[in-house]
């Protein structure tokens, strides 16, 4: 995972909390949104995350962050499930989601489209391969704005 300094520090405090709660850390984001800074923690586990999981992790993390004080400015803490349409950003995400359908958004059109849904077929750290209508299509990672699990009803 590639985190900024604050996210990396939070990860160190969060890892034992997540292990104790038997949940997986899917992602951490620390961003400025309007006048506020927001620390978001996304969790996952087999069978799905429930409200109690989020509450347990949030309370434990809040206590550690209050004690260690790694974030100099005021911020809001949000702990939630990674969601059904979770973002796929890191090598571990690609590995777990291989073969599944994903929604892809591009920075600029390729073959006349900026968005498509396809099966995730490969990832080598620099390129992503998708299966689209029976054909493999490989795109450089830096051309892709976002990849999220596709929600199928």
């Amino acid at each position: 995972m590639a985190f900024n300094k604050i996210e990396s520090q939070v990860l160190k405090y969060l890892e034992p909390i997540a292990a104790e709660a038997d949940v997986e850390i899917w992602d951490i984001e620390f961003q400025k949104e309007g006048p506020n800074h927001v620390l978001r923690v996304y969790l996952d586990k087999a069978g799905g995350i429930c409200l109690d999981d989020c509450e347990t992790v949030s309370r434990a993390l809040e206590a550690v962050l209050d004690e260690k004080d790694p974030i100099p400015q005021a911020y809001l803490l949000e702990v939630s499930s990674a969601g059904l349409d979770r973002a796929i950003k890191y090598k571990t995400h690609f590995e777990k989601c291989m073969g599944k359908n994903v929604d892809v958004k591009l920075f600029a059109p390729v073959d006349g489209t900026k968005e498509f849904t396809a099966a995730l077929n490969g990832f080598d750290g620099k390129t992503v391969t998708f299966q689209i209508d029976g054909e493999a299509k490989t795109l450089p990672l830096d051309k892709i704005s976002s990849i999220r699990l596709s929600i199928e009803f």
Side-chain angles (χ1 to χ4, degrees):
M1 294 187 177
F3 294 124
N4 68 33
K5 184 179 177 183
I6 288 175
E7 293 163 348
S8 295
Q9 187 66 46
V10 169
L11 178 63
K12 289 194 306 190
Y13 301 137
L14 182 58
E15 286 175 326
I17 294 168
E20 178 71 23
D22 197 29
V23 298
E24 175 189 348
I25 303 162
W26 186 263
D27 200 2
I28 301 170
E29 298 175 340
F30 183 71
Q31 301 173 328
K32 182 159 176 44
E33 294 182 2
N36 301 314
H37 284 82
V38 181
L39 174 62
R40 286 193 181 89
V41 174
Y42 298 99
L43 304 174
D44 192 27
K45 80 172 182 183
I49 291 292
C50 68
L51 187 58
D52 288 342
D53 296 323
C54 295
E55 181 181 6
T56 298
V57 170
S58 179
R59 288 180 190 264
L61 181 58
E62 183 178 35
V64 171
L65 293 176
D66 283 349
E67 176 189 335
K68 303 290 186 184
D69 202 23
I71 304 173
Q73 60 268 47
Y75 62 93
L76 304 170
L77 172 62
E78 295 179 5
V79 177
S80 69
S81 163
L84 294 175
D85 65 340
R86 63 195 58 205
I88 301 169
K89 297 180 181 178
Y90 309 110
K91 182 181 179 200
T92 57
H93 295 170
F94 283 95
E95 290 167 354
K96 288 181 181 193
C97 297
M98 207 55 64
K100 295 182 180 177
N101 282 341
V102 294
D103 295 323
V104 181
K105 292 184 180 180
L106 307 174
F107 288 113
V110 172
D111 298 333
T113 187
K114 283 182 69 173
E115 297 182 16
F116 60 90
T117 299
L120 182 60
N121 247 18
F123 175 71
D124 66 8
K126 294 183 181 182
T127 62
V128 184
T129 303
F130 304 97
Q131 190 74 22
I132 306 171
D133 298 326
E135 292 184 34
K137 180 168 199 78
T138 301
L139 296 170
L141 194 56
D142 63 0
K143 302 281 185 197
I144 300 170
S145 169
S146 70
I147 304 174
R148 300 184 81 78
L149 272 181
S150 184
I151 300 175
E152 300 174 16
F153 296 97

